[in-house]
Amino acid sequence: MLGISTFGLSMRLLKWFPIRVVDQILLVASRLLIGDTGRVGLTRPSVGPLELKSLTGKTPVLDVGTLDKIKSGHIKVCPGIKRVRHQSVEFVDGITRDFDAIVLATGYKSNVPTWLKESEMFSEKDGFPKKPFPNGWKGKSGLYSVGFTKRGLMGTSMDARNIAEDIENCLMKRRKPFFLNHVIPYLLQTSQFQIGDPAYVYPLSSLHGL
């Protein structure tokens, strides 16, 4: 909206406000800039866009170019489908229409439990991490997951940053015992420190890679 990513804005607002408050802000902005989409057949869900994404994984996307085509009549919004025949579709309102082609936008779902032999991190029911956002990115024994936040690319970015920081912390913990058990004794031996001598601090940057 106005050249600003609404999803990026919403992720920033979620740092200070609960999800339902952010949803209301987005809906008010959408109503002011786009208008009432219900008039052209696009009925708004009972919950807000972020809450819908969190509960179902469905991304709230509305293309402005498509909306213009709907308003001009080039695209017609129809009710739910009751059944599909060879070259026609019967809708829930009883009307049947003929079509040259039917495109099924079926979406996708996670199949991780079918190939990952692990049952603690991922749910066998929906294939998503059992821990809710933002804690579903880390499992045991170095197992990580990216992109299962139901919060689009911003959520994926948050996962990636958390994983990178966790890997860095793991590496630092592995270096610490080596530093305490080998580097410091070596410095003490080569320096020939005695009680009462002034202490010297060696910056960690000089020991990078040890």
Side-chain angles (χ1 to χ4, degrees):
M1 296 180 183
L2 301 177
I4 301 175
S5 169
T6 53
F7 203 79
L9 176 62
S10 63
M11 288 296 100
R12 295 184 178 91
L13 291 175
L14 284 174
K15 295 180 180 180
W16 296 284
F17 303 103
I19 188 170
R20 292 190 177 183
V21 173
V22 178
D23 270 341
Q24 290 301 317
I25 295 174
L26 294 177
L27 290 174
V28 170
S30 175
R31 187 66 176 264
L32 292 175
L33 296 175
I34 300 177
D36 183 11
T37 57
R39 295 183 177 180
V40 294
L42 299 177
T43 305
R44 187 179 70 81
S46 58
V47 297
L50 295 182
E51 187 175 359
L52 179 69
K53 177 71 174 176
S54 177
L55 294 174
T56 66
K58 296 179 180 179
T59 303
V61 176
L62 183 62
D63 177 64
V64 178
T66 302
L67 187 61
D68 289 339
K69 291 291 185 180
I70 294 174
K71 291 180 178 179
S72 65
H74 289 89
I75 297 177
K76 181 176 178 57
V77 179
C78 299
I81 296 175
K82 185 176 182 180
R83 64 172 56 90
V84 177
R85 295 189 173 91
H86 181 59
Q87 288 182 328
S88 64
V89 174
E90 181 182 351
F91 298 98
V92 293
D93 59 1
I95 297 177
T96 300
R97 294 182 182 273
D98 295 331
F99 293 93
D100 297 324
I102 300 175
V103 179
L104 298 178
T106 58
Y108 61 92
K109 63 180 181 179
S110 169
N111 66 350
V112 173
T114 64
W115 53 264
L116 180 64
K117 305 307 178 183
E118 187 271 352
S119 59
E120 294 186 16
M121 184 174 182
F122 287 88
S123 170
E124 295 183 359
K125 182 178 180 181
D126 59 5
F128 280 79
K130 294 180 180 179
K131 294 181 180 179
F133 177 82
N135 301 313
W137 56 272
K138 184 178 180 180
K140 293 182 178 181
S141 303
L143 179 62
Y144 299 106
S145 69
V146 180
F148 290 89
T149 62
K150 300 181 181 180
R151 283 165 173 78
L153 293 177
M154 291 298 297
T156 301
S157 174
M158 295 174 66
D159 279 348
R161 291 176 181 272
N162 287 332
I163 293 172
E165 292 176 359
D166 190 69
I167 293 175
E168 181 183 16
N169 292 335
C170 290
L171 292 176
M172 293 301 296
K173 289 180 180 179
R174 292 179 182 178
R175 289 179 179 179
K176 187 175 181 180
F178 180 83
F179 180 80
L180 294 177
N181 297 329
H182 299 279
V183 178
I184 289 183
Y186 173 78
L187 293 176
L188 292 176
Q189 291 175 7
T190 56
S191 302
Q192 297 181 351
F193 281 147
Q194 295 182 2
I195 298 177
D197 287 345
Y200 295 90
V201 178
Y202 289 82
L204 290 177
S205 59
S206 64
L207 302 173
H208 180 69
L210 292 178

